[in-house]
Amino acid sequence: QVQLVESGGGLVQAGGSLRLACAASSGTVRSYTMAWFRQAPGKEREFLAAITRTPYYADSVKGRFIISRDYAEKTVYLQMNNLKPEDTAVYYCAARETYGLAVRPRDYDYWGQGTQVTVSS
C-alpha cells in the first residue's frame, strides 16, 4: 500500500505562483506513473499533468504548470505559475502502478488527501 501526502496549497493572488509537493511512503513509486488532478466544487475531477520519465500536460495548464519528480526523495512536484481564479480547486496527487500515461482518475491506484488552492482576483 502506498500513501501519498500533498502539501503546498494555500491562498494566492491571481498571477502568482505556488508549488505543490506529493511525498510517497514507498520507494516503489519510482516505477509508477505519477499525476496531478484537481476538483472544483460541483465539477468532475480534472487531469492536469502526469510524468513517467517525461511529462505530459492537459491543454488547460500547458505552459503554466510544470510537473517534476525527485526519485531519491520519492516526491512529485507541481509548479503552478500565472495562477487564475478558475484554478481554485482541491488538488490531488495520484499514482498508477502500471507504467504509462493515463488521464482518467479511474486509471490511478493511489490518491492523496488533497490540498486546497484558492486564487483570488
Side-chain angles (χ1 to χ4, degrees):
Q1 188 75 9
V2 174
Q3 292 183 329
L4 304 174
V5 178
E6 300 101 334
S7 62
L11 174 64
V12 64
Q13 289 188 330
S17 299
L18 282 175
R19 188 174 82 152
L20 306 182
C22 171
S25 62
S26 171
T28 57
V29 299
R30 294 186 179 99
S31 64
Y32 292 1
T33 297
M34 303 296 294
W36 287 94
F37 290 76
R38 69 185 177 192
Q39 189 165 18
K43 295 188 176 181
E44 294 185 351
R45 195 161 294 192
E46 176 191 10
F47 170 81
L48 300 176
I51 187 166
T52 51
R53 287 187 178 87
T54 56
Y56 177 82
Y57 299 96
D59 288 342
S60 60
V61 302
K62 196 175 296 183
R64 295 193 300 127
F65 291 8
I66 301 170
I67 187 171
S68 61
R69 66 192 303 172
D70 184 324
Y71 286 94
E73 296 298 324
K74 300 174 291 183
T75 302
V76 176
Y77 300 96
L78 186 69
Q79 177 68 42
M80 305 187 294
N81 301 318
N82 190 23
L83 284 162
K84 306 173 182 180
E86 52 264 42
D87 293 318
T88 295
V90 178
Y91 283 67
Y92 296 93
C93 174
R96 180 172 187 247
E97 293 182 356
T98 304
Y99 198 74
L101 175 65
V103 300
R104 299 176 302 183
R106 65 183 181 184
D107 291 327
Y108 286 81
D109 304 295
Y110 305 101
W111 292 86
Q113 81 287 352
T115 185
Q116 176 70 45
V117 172
T118 303
V119 184
S120 63
S121 57

